[in-house]
Structures are given as C-alpha cells and as structure tokens.
Amino acid sequence: MKTTTLIRRAVLAAAAIATLAALAGPARAGDLEVLHWWTSGGEAKAISGLKDSLQAKGHRWKDFAVAGGAGDAAMTVLKSRAISGNAPTAAQIKGPLLQDWAAEGMLANIDTVAQAERWDELLLPVISDIVKYKGHYIAVPVNVHRVNWLWINPEAMKKAGVKPPTTWDEFFAAADALKKAGVIPLAHGGQSWQDFTTFETVVLGTGGPAFYRKALIQLDPASLKSPTMEKSLATFRRLKAYTDRNAPGRDWNLATAMVMKGEAAMQIMGDWAKGEFLAAGKTAGKDFLCVPAPGTAKSYTFNVDSFAMFKVKGEANQQAQRDMASAILSPAVQESFNLEKGSIPVRQGVSLARYDDCAKASAADFAEAGKAGTLLPSIAHGMAVRAAAEGALKDVVSQFWNSDAITPAQAMDRLVAAAKAQ
C-alpha cells in the first residue's frame, strides 16, 4: 500500500481520536514523545544531550527509540502509530518522506521559530528546501552526514604494506594484499540499506556526479541501463569477494567494530561510523583514517537527519515542540550533538575548534561541493527519491549482491522497472 494512502487513513483516525481526547480533557503539559532510531553507542550519546537540554527547561521527554540503522523499522512503527491516531510529538523523518506527511496535514508549522531565529540565513538552501513544505518549515534539520566515506584501520593497512586507495583499481590491489596478510579487506553488513550505501558510492566513484544525478536522483532509464551502470554493477559485485562470510544481516556498527579491532581494514559507511570510533575512545588520524571513497573525492553524498513535529493539543505541548526546534539549531546543541554523532553542524557558523580532522575535512568538502554543484542526496538514506522507488531499487541491488545468477544486464532491466515506482 502506498505511503500516502496509509497517511490519509491516519489523518481520519487521528481526527476521531483527537476529538475524544479533547472531550476527555487536556494532555499533560510539556510532554515530548520523540521517535528516532539512534540506538548505537555514539548515537545514544548524541541524542542524550538534546534530551538533557529540554528536560532542563522542565519538559518531560519520553524516548521512543526503534533500532535499525536506516530507519525502516522506525517508519513502520510510525505509520502504525499514526493510523491508530497516536502519533508521537516529534519523529525523525527526512527527505521526500517529509512531503508525504506534510501533504496530509499531519505536521505542525514551525515558521514562528524559524522566522524568529532566522533559519533561512543559518541554513543552506539545499538543506532548508528539504525541511519545508510549500515554503513553510515543517521539520528542523539536525546535522549533515557525509555518506561517501571510506573508514580505515591504519595498522591493518600497514600490515599488508598498502596505502589508502583513491581509485577502485587501487582498492582491489590493496584488498588482494590485505587478503594475503590475513585481514578482511572490507567490513560489511548484509542489509539492504548497507548494500545500497555501498552501491551508490560505487556508482558515484565510477560514473561521477553528473551520472549519479541522472541515474539515482532523476532515475533516467537510459542511465540506469548504460555501459556506465553495467561497469558500476560489475565493480559492486566484485567487492563481495573481499567481505567475510558472516556479513549477511550484520548491523553496521558491528562492521565498524571490525575495523576498530583490526579484524577488517576498511568500511564504506557514512560518518555516523566515526561516532562509534569516538565512543570507544579512538582518535582520528591515529587509530582510524577517513578518506573519500575511491573516485569520489570531489563529490559529497549527504544525509540530513531531521525531526518533524506532529500536530499536538495543548499550548504547553506546542511550546515544548517549539523549544525542541529551537534547541536543535542552537549553537550549543549543534556543537555537542554533532561531536558525538560523527556528523557536522547543519547550522552555518558553528565553531569547529573542538572537532577532529575528519569533521573539518567534511565541512570543507561540503562547502566546496556546494560551490561546485556536487552536493548529492543519498538515495540509500532516504534523501533522493520517494519511498516506493527507494525500496524497489534497494531490493534489486540486494538481490544482485546476494545472487551471482543475476547478470548485470538483468539487474539493469530490474532497476529501470523499479524506478517506475517513483
């Protein structure tokens, strides 16, 4: 069933329950039930700072965490809650999915906060456009994650006598040397969103930003069925031989732990992985390295987390929402949250003095990519296309990854068909 259909049913159910709630009396003042999927070590530390800042204002925070790296499980729970007329106060929603919820009238307008605090000046248009619906703010962005990172254990690379790769040819040469040295070259978790994170990074490194935009954002059929896509699929499949047999079903943070321990040398993952390194007391540039994935140095695939505010009853609860929106974009929370999360502040002008070299490099590359027009939304992380097309494309890519019987030509035909779900 389409997302918009589910949301439409939710609106009707919510209206009925809201009427009953109004007859029963006002809700408890200052309550914030917040749905998110930040449950790993670094993520949990990041969200706790936001929670503390709101509790300090007297609001009651009810943590509604649903585990799952890409948020698929959380979105399933959210739909269920919304259909029953029991949506949380705020929910971690991002990308085009925000538009679906807003179109059905379920999200609160937070323009009063945005205008008072000049969000249009604090946020780049590429970010503010994501969290607006028909020109009005309906969500608040939290951070900017770079997705196209390659995380490296320098000791493992030293053991094999190899350097961080900058091209896919260099990657495979290094991977062969690592295998001979008894080190797993690539840590991976066989989940659809992790498969697609790797796939979109390969597409970017193989075809460049213009091809990425046409194929994975515009879903151009000719690009999805082209020699460049065929080469991308072949490169993507080749990577599997350098993962380990226990990869299927592995959570992303466990794959990061493999790199941390030196069991694996590299991981293709967004910079939330850095939050895990930092939570374990590791130091960037010493215990781990961050470099752009092969072939992607001049581009930046991004994932912007954001919180949408659902319509709630009672002025105290509405004020709690406004305070949450304000807190998220405050310089203090922007600094503390992103220090723990591994991301960089979405608010412009926040000092990076306390940030490590990976974050400073990410911020510099984000600015440069913005000027060059190579800032690209990550399809793997819900930033580029509608949910139906994203899910269908992920299915195709994971099926290709898991079955050598599927040829690149067949996979391209399936990608074209999946794109029609948009």
Side-chain angles (χ1 to χ4, degrees):
M1 185 177 292
K2 292 184 178 180
T3 299
T4 50
T5 302
L6 288 172
I7 296 174
R8 191 170 287 110
R9 289 184 178 180
V11 173
L12 296 174
I17 290 181
T19 300
L20 293 175
L23 293 173
R28 266 197 321 155
D31 287 339
L32 280 168
E33 185 182 24
V34 182
L35 182 147
H36 62 89
W37 56 85
W38 290 326
T39 57
S40 72
E43 293 173 328
K45 288 182 69 176
I47 195 68
S48 67
L50 175 60
K51 175 182 175 180
D52 291 344
S53 71
L54 288 160
Q55 288 181 327
K57 290 180 175 288
H59 299 306
R60 293 174 288 274
W61 176 292
K62 182 179 179 182
D63 209 49
F64 185 13
V66 180
D72 293 342
M75 289 302 96
T76 299
V77 172
L78 178 59
K79 290 172 188 175
S80 176
R81 286 281 302 269
I83 287 171
S84 68
N86 187 29
T89 316
Q92 187 182 352
I93 308 175
K94 56 187 178 178
L97 193 57
L98 282 166
Q99 308 305 309
D100 291 338
W101 287 101
E104 298 301 333
M106 295 199 74
L107 301 185
N109 182 316
I110 50 175
D111 279 347
T112 54
V113 180
Q115 291 168 2
E117 300 185 359
R118 307 188 316 279
W119 287 7
D120 281 345
E121 298 174 29
L122 299 176
L123 303 172
L124 291 178
V126 70
I127 305 298
S128 60
D129 287 348
I130 293 170
V131 293
K132 285 181 179 179
Y133 176 71
K134 294 184 176 179
H136 301 287
Y137 281 96
I138 42 82
V140 53
V142 187
N143 56 6
V144 176
H145 278 297
R146 187 179 195 173
V147 178
N148 60 311
W149 278 122
L150 183 67
W151 302 95
I152 294 173
N153 182 306
E155 288 302 314
M157 301 292 275
K158 183 178 179 181
K159 181 179 178 180
V162 294
K163 297 179 180 179
T166 60
T167 67
W168 287 115
D169 287 341
E170 289 179 3
F171 178 93
F172 290 118
D176 286 333
L178 286 159
K179 253 189 169 181
K180 290 179 181 178
V183 179
I184 298 167
L186 184 64
H188 183 68
Q191 299 170 335
S192 65
W193 72 270
Q194 293 191 65
D195 293 340
F196 211 99
T197 296
T198 301
F199 174 69
E200 72 177 23
T201 303
V202 170
V203 170
L204 179 60
T206 303
F211 178 78
Y212 177 101
R213 190 180 298 279
K214 287 193 71 175
L216 298 186
I217 300 175
Q218 298 172 5
L219 302 181
D220 172 55
S223 300
L224 290 171
K225 193 174 181 179
S226 65
T228 302
M229 182 56 72
E230 184 174 16
K231 183 178 179 181
S232 297
L233 285 162
T235 302
F236 173 65
R237 171 168 280 167
R238 191 177 170 189
L239 290 173
K240 188 176 180 181
Y242 298 100
T243 63
D244 68 301
R245 66 178 64 186
N246 297 318
R250 177 186 288 138
D251 288 335
W252 69 270
N253 53 313
L254 298 181
T256 302
M258 292 171 64
V259 178
M260 204 180 302
K261 297 172 184 176
E263 297 171 2
M266 298 177 282
Q267 181 188 20
I268 297 169
M269 187 54 59
D271 50 21
W272 47 91
K274 189 183 70 174
E276 298 302 293
F277 284 108
L278 299 179
K282 304 298 182 181
T283 301
K286 176 185 175 185
D287 302 310
F288 65 95
L289 306 177
C290 57
V291 298
T296 72
K298 300 298 183 180
S299 301
Y300 193 114
T301 48
F302 66 83
N303 172 25
V304 174
D305 290 306
S306 56
F307 279 103
M309 304 298 174
F310 281 79
K311 290 181 177 178
V312 295
K313 298 290 184 179
E315 173 56 28
N317 290 334
Q318 292 167 3
Q319 184 60 48
Q321 284 184 325
R322 291 192 289 268
D323 286 346
M324 180 177 176
S326 178
I328 286 172
L329 273 184
S330 69
V333 170
Q334 280 287 296
E335 180 184 60
S336 62
F337 179 92
N338 289 291
L339 277 169
E340 299 290 356
K341 188 68 164 58
S343 44
I344 59 173
V346 70
R347 174 182 174 135
Q348 295 187 90
V350 175
S351 172
L352 298 178
R354 295 177 59 200
Y355 284 75
D356 57 41
D357 290 344
C358 290
K360 291 174 181 175
S362 179
D365 289 349
F366 181 75
E368 286 301 314
K371 294 176 184 176
T374 56
L375 276 177
L376 303 164
S378 165
I379 185 172
H381 298 277
M383 301 304 301
V385 301
R386 296 287 182 181
E390 178 189 330
L393 292 165
K394 283 179 176 176
D395 287 345
V396 172
V397 167
S398 287
Q399 288 164 8
F400 179 76
W401 175 267
N402 290 312
S403 175
D404 291 340
I406 301 174
T407 66
Q410 291 172 325
M412 287 189 290
D413 286 338
R414 295 179 186 184
L415 286 172
V416 171
K420 294 177 182 178
Q422 174 75 330

